[in-house]
């Protein structure tokens, strides 16, 4: 079981990092002037990070976390709250994908505030998950 915890924590860290990186990169890309070389490569880079890095880490983190509480037979109110926070993180992940599509279609209106909001909500949910896991009762 320790290897499962290590896998879960490692993939969760990578997913959380990408959930903070993607909105930041979206904000930079949205402010870039049209015609620059960065503007051409940024949407492709964002799509690559989203599809090949963030999403696989998210899936492995969620699957290993699910397997962890099934194997360890964890139950409790803290777990329900943690799963609600993780569901919110999944929603932030999906919103990052939607914002990347908006950037690719050159619909930059409200992209910066939306990205900032996604980053703030994701960071708050990550903090909530951390607090819930660290404050859970030991059996």
């Amino acid at each position: 079981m320790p290897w499962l915890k290590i896998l879960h924590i490692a993939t969760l860290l990578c997913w959380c990092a990408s959930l903070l990186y993607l909105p930041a990169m979206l904000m930079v890309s949205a402010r870039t002037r049209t015609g620059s070389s960065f503007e051409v490569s940024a949407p492709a880079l964002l799509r690559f990070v989203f599809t090949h890095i963030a999403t696989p880490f998210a899936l492995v983190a969620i699957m290993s976390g699910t397997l962890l509480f099934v194997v360890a037979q964890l139950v409790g109110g803290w777990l329900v709250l943690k799963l609600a926070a993780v569901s919110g993180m999944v929603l932030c992940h999906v919103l990052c994908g939607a914002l990347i599509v908006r950037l690719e279609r050159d619909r930059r209106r409200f992209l910066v505030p939306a990205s900032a909001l996604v980053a703030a909500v994701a960071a708050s949910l990550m903090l909530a998950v951390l607090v819930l896991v660290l404050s859970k009762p030991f059996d």
Side-chain angles (χ1 to χ4, degrees):
M1 184 146 97
W3 62 270
L4 191 56
K5 282 184 183 180
I6 291 169
L7 175 68
H8 181 61
I9 291 169
T11 55
L12 187 62
L13 282 172
C14 293
W15 180 35
C16 289
S18 67
L19 273 181
L20 297 176
Y21 173 78
L22 287 170
M25 191 68 177
L26 276 161
M27 286 187 272
V28 169
S29 300
R31 291 182 178 153
T32 304
R33 287 186 226 149
T34 56
S36 73
S37 61
F38 180 75
E39 182 202 15
V40 175
S41 63
L45 176 64
L46 280 165
R47 181 175 281 275
F48 178 83
V49 170
F50 183 80
T51 58
H52 291 87
I53 297 172
T55 301
F57 277 126
L59 292 173
V60 174
I62 291 168
M63 287 187 286
S64 62
T66 302
L67 190 58
L68 193 60
F69 81 79
V70 168
V71 169
Q73 298 176 351
L74 298 172
V75 291
W78 68 272
L79 182 63
V80 173
L81 293 173
K82 179 188 175 239
L83 292 176
V86 170
S87 297
M89 288 171 57
V90 169
L91 181 62
C92 290
H93 186 92
V94 170
L95 288 173
C96 281
L99 292 174
I100 291 169
V101 170
R102 283 183 58 92
L103 179 67
E104 289 174 340
R105 294 181 179 167
D106 205 28
R107 295 184 181 158
R108 296 169 186 252
R109 189 171 184 190
F110 302 119
L111 199 58
V112 172
S115 299
L117 182 63
V118 168
V121 170
S124 301
L125 291 169
M126 290 175 212
L127 183 61
V129 167
L130 183 65
V131 167
L132 287 166
V133 168
L134 293 178
S135 65
K136 83 174 181 80
F138 290 103
D139 296 327

